[in-house]
Amino acid sequence: MTPGKTAGATAASLLDALWRSGALRTLDHALAQSLRRLDPATPDSVLAAAVLASLAVANGHAGFDLASPRTLVDAPDIAWPDADAWRRELAASRWVAVPANGADVSDADRPLVLEGPPGAPGLLYLRRYREYERRVAAGLQRLAAATSEAGGVDLVTGGPGTGKTTTIARLLVQLVEQARAAGRTDPHIALAAPTGRAAERMAESVRNALQALAAAGTDAGVIETLPGSGSTLHRLLGTLPDSPRFRHDAGNPLPFDVVVVDEASMIDLPLMAKLVEAVPDGARLVLIGDPDQLPSVEAGDVLRGVIAAADAGGDAFPARRTHLTHAWRQHEALQLAPLAAAMREGDSAAALSLLRGGTLSGVHFHEDLADPLQAPHRDRLLTHWRALADADSPAQALSLASRLRLLTAVRDGPQGARTLNARIEAMLAGAGGASGRHFQGRLLLITENSYRHRLFNGDIGICFRDADGAVMAWFPGDTPDAPRAFHPAALPAHESAFAMTVHKAQGSEFDTVWLQLPRHDARTLSRELLYTAATRARAALHVAAGDAVLRAALARHVVRISGLRQRLPAPAATAPA
């Protein structure tokens, strides 16, 4: 900070500088203007911090770290205030709550919360997200401390094919066997995941694992008691029409003794808070996930925070973690493991060597390819998309759709999902196979939650004619052969899904994945993004990228600002002898 200036004086131009930088959304700036209208004496340092707390949530963070503002806005010409002086002005503001010892903050007149360890500038939260984080920690500690036979928190982590589902199947069998040996009733078990496709994949994997256990001699009576289907978390918790709340909560807990949740890396802070509060006292919560994948699209990086606390050990947060490293399952047509490992470690030299070497079965590198919709690849892709319109039924069309997906790192620009989708739609229309906005065979991606329709951000459907010839929008139902139909005009916000961002593809797998990276580096690129994209492929992976962009992506590590790890206490330090 310039000598002689206070934090407020420095930040007097900070809000304007942030706005001029283009980093802020209109919504962020509107928050500052609202606070200023309500109290014109609000210091500009507080207004600037408020917009950064709002921007932090939009960028996936739980809060804004006063000590590292460049994590959010990397603008070299912005003069940031001294973090300690900034904290003092925030602590004195009427808009900022400074709770002691993690206490609840129910004061609606204070939209911001400042927290942090003694001697540190701390994190500034939007109050709602601080409360979500506190509720997640409290709920996990409650469950982990359970002393009942089935209770506790389990973490089962590992990459694709490492046996996570097999481990879960064995655990569930063991729980039933233990209950029967002790004369107790069989535990009630639920399987769930953040998206419908992920829930379907999980249930299928569990069924296959149970069949293998049955063949190996496990009691058929035990196998029959275990669930053969899964549901989305929203369906499990019970959506309420036109409400972000759920039927099951702390006052009306879930009727299960064991709740198993796959793809836990995708779960954001708000949903995790509602999940842990709905799991009843004495029940067991099992979280399955790959911590090397991208974190949730929305705010938070819950799985990594919980893993860090569990790995610390001790009685303060006695969660059990099983981390699996050996890849047992690999599609015979796709030799992905070495490339995935190089991406996970950020080893660009090894990744490029493997891509260029052509020695990995099923892996294809299209170096410097900027347009997959040009010859010679265009016809192969269009053949797949046209075949969706010729399927025998909506259920078959949805199944065929999982055979191939074009994934991108960005939404906009020449290599962005939005641009590619528009071009694909035009090509399909030019072939005479499409007319109107909702045409036969158009893949759809829901982009906002609709509790009334039980359609949620990330759900994938398809436009297909019903028995009367009307084009309807079909989405997966309770079983794969019974999709749900909606009139296109009744759908919540949506877009095409021929091309999708990698974030939106989490929880899904496709036989063939085309990963198209932008020609120039972007902040969204990271080793986690490449690893997540590559591991969506079951049989073939095509990577279209340039050398410099790949190296830049693998050098970047996703960092999410959160206080969850600190809220799940570490074991007490051992006094020196």
Side-chain angles (χ1 to χ4, degrees), residues 161-228:
T162 53
K164 296 189 295 294
T165 308
T166 300
T167 300
I168 292 302
R170 288 173 177 161
L171 171 64
L172 298 182
V173 166
Q174 182 182 37
L175 290 175
V176 174
E177 291 176 339
Q178 289 174 345
R180 292 186 174 186
R184 301 190 305 270
T185 58
D186 293 340
H188 297 283
I189 300 169
L191 304 179
T195 67
R197 181 58 184 148
E200 182 184 324
R201 281 180 48 225
M202 177 196 190
E204 181 182 7
S205 297
V206 169
R207 288 194 300 269
N208 293 337
L210 291 175
Q211 289 174 3
L213 290 175
T218 299
D219 188 329
V222 171
I223 298 290
E224 290 173 359
T225 67
L226 298 175

Side-chain angles (χ1 to χ4, degrees), residues 16-290:
D16 290 339
L18 289 169
W19 182 247
R20 290 194 303 269
S21 74
L24 301 183
R25 303 170 301 160
T26 302
L27 180 64
D28 306 323
H29 199 250
L31 172 61
Q33 299 309 312
S34 296
L35 297 180
R36 178 176 278 161
R37 280 196 301 272
L38 291 169
D39 184 357
T42 302
D44 282 307
S45 61
V46 174
L47 299 177
V51 301
L52 291 170
S54 176
L55 180 64
V57 170
N59 287 357
H61 304 289
F64 164 54
D65 187 352
L66 297 175
S68 57
R70 287 183 178 84
T71 301
L72 282 178
V73 181
D74 189 13
D77 56 338
I78 290 183
W80 299 102
D82 174 78
D84 291 329
W86 209 353
R87 178 187 176 92
R88 289 192 293 272
E89 289 208 332
L90 286 166
S93 171
R94 60 171 291 190
W95 303 122
V96 181
V98 188
N101 302 319
D104 186 10
V105 176
S106 57
D107 187 353
D109 292 333
R110 295 179 184 266
L112 303 169
V113 180
L114 181 63
E115 275 191 312
L123 301 184
L124 183 69
Y125 294 87
L126 296 182
R127 180 172 57 85
R128 179 188 303 175
Y129 284 87
R130 186 266 185 181
E131 289 305 295
Y132 283 139
E133 192 175 87
R134 186 191 63 81
R135 288 163 55 189
V136 167
L140 287 171
Q141 286 180 282
R142 170 181 61 86
L143 295 171
T147 57
S148 62
E149 294 83 356
V153 174
D154 288 271
L155 306 170
V156 180
T157 60
T162 53
K164 296 189 295 294
T165 308
T166 300
T167 300
I168 292 302
R170 288 173 177 161
L171 171 64
L172 298 182
V173 166
Q174 182 182 37
L175 290 175
V176 174
E177 291 176 339
Q178 289 174 345
R180 292 186 174 186
R184 301 190 305 270
T185 58
D186 293 340
H188 297 283
I189 300 169
L191 304 179
T195 67
R197 181 58 184 148
E200 182 184 324
R201 281 180 48 225
M202 177 196 190
E204 181 182 7
S205 297
V206 169
R207 288 194 300 269
N208 293 337
L210 291 175
Q211 289 174 3
L213 290 175
T218 299
D219 188 329
V222 171
I223 298 290
E224 290 173 359
T225 67
L226 298 175
S229 62
S231 72
T232 64
L233 285 173
H234 290 84
R235 190 179 304 163
L236 175 76
L237 294 172
T239 56
L240 297 172
D242 301 316
S243 172
R245 302 184 65 184
F246 292 106
R247 183 172 296 107
H248 292 289
D249 55 18
N252 180 31
L254 290 163
F256 297 105
D257 305 297
V258 182
V259 177
V260 183
V261 183
D262 199 6
E263 297 288 356
S265 64
M266 298 175 62
I267 306 176
D268 57 35
L269 267 177
L271 186 55
M272 184 62 85
K274 296 167 186 177
L275 170 64
V276 297
E277 289 179 340
V279 178
D281 290 343
R284 192 182 196 116
L285 175 64
V286 184
L287 300 177
I288 314 169
D290 184 348

Side-chain angles (χ1 to χ4, degrees), residues 427-453:
M427 290 177 181
L428 294 175
S435 60
R437 184 164 178 261
H438 294 96
F439 55 85
Q440 173 89 350
R442 182 192 177 196
L443 283 174
L444 301 174
L445 174 70
I446 298 297
T447 58
E448 71 175 17
N449 293 338
S450 174
Y451 297 93
R452 172 180 295 180
H453 298 90

Side-chain angles (χ1 to χ4, degrees), residues 395 479-483:
T479 60
D481 58 349

